Amino acid sequence: DSGVTQTPKHLITATGQRVTLRCSPRSGDLSVYWYQQSLDQGLQFLIQYYNGEERAKGNILERFSAQQFPDLHSELNLSSLELGDSALYFCASSTRDRGNYGYTFGSGTRLTVV
Amino acid sequence: SQQGEEDPQALSIQEGENATMNCSYKTSINNLQWYRQNSGRGLVHLILIRSNEREKHSGRLRVTLDTSKKSSSLLITASRAADTASYFCATWGGSEKLVFGKGMKLTVNP
């Protein structure tokens, strides 16, 4: 157990639907990062939050949004889902607002859009 | 976009042998990190080397960094079947995010 908790582990949903992925960072970590992993694109950075504030955006679609709550857990919302959104979605956390330290990853949410 | 590229993309060895994985990157970095991913699981941080370091050790892991060639290598000595996984290099250049390579698959046969 890495200390980063992601729920649900698996999600199967239909095209056009909306889902919410949840992440609880490791205790004491203020930074949360979301990554999408697919076979053809590898690990793509989506977005980062630090202590409730958005800090960096990567290749995140407009149909996707995220937030970090006062208790530091984060949610990634995916809407108008398409078949191509099927992927593993990872949350990671770190102690500082920098990549100067290693990230701790959760075990991911496997999203299947049918 | 990918920053690091691991080479080879796949490697199959016997238990007890050493495994060497290489990573090349394109832009200047503050540090380079290696991660392991078991099939379908989350990534696990293995080791971090800063741009002013040339070599670092952690248990059976040895990582080198050559900033002039923009490359790094990860050596796993005396490999075990449990080392079978995908390995990723990731670079941090001072911006907010780590940028990962596409990864390479290591298979260690018992």
Side-chain angles (χ1 to χ4, degrees), chain A residues 35 37 44-45 99-100 103, chain B residues 2 33 35 50 97-98:
Chain A
Y35 282 82
Q37 186 180 34
Q44 296 290 320
F45 170 73
N100 216 11
Y103 289 5
Chain B
Q2 305 302 131
Q33 305 177 28
Y35 288 78
R50 303 190 193 284
K97 62 185 188 291
L98 277 180

Side-chain angles (χ1 to χ4, degrees), chain B residues 27-47:
Chain B
T27 61
S28 63
I29 61 171
N30 286 46
N31 68 60
L32 185 143
Q33 305 177 28
W34 285 91
Y35 288 78
R36 182 188 73 229
Q37 183 182 31
N38 292 91
S39 180
R41 306 294 297 273
L43 281 77
V44 175
H45 180 256
L46 295 177
I47 195 165

Side-chain angles (χ1 to χ4, degrees), chain A residues 33 35 37 40-45 48 55-56 59 88 90 97-103 105-107 110, chain B residues 1-2 30-31 33 35 37 40-45 48 50 88 92 94-102:
Chain A
Y33 310 82
Y35 282 82
Q37 186 180 34
D40 55 342
Q41 294 292 321
L43 265 164
Q44 296 290 320
F45 170 73
Q48 181 213 355
R55 280 303 177 98
N59 301 323
L88 262 171
F90 287 106
D97 183 25
R98 289 290 179 182
N100 216 11
Y101 303 85
Y103 289 5
F105 277 80
S107 56
R110 183 174 294 278
Chain B
S1 62
Q2 305 302 131
N30 286 46
N31 68 60
Q33 305 177 28
Y35 288 78
Q37 183 182 31
R41 306 294 297 273
L43 281 77
V44 175
H45 180 256
L48 179 154
R50 303 190 193 284
F88 294 82
W92 184 63
S95 65
E96 301 293 344
K97 62 185 188 291
L98 277 180
V99 181
F100 285 83
K102 287 204 168 185

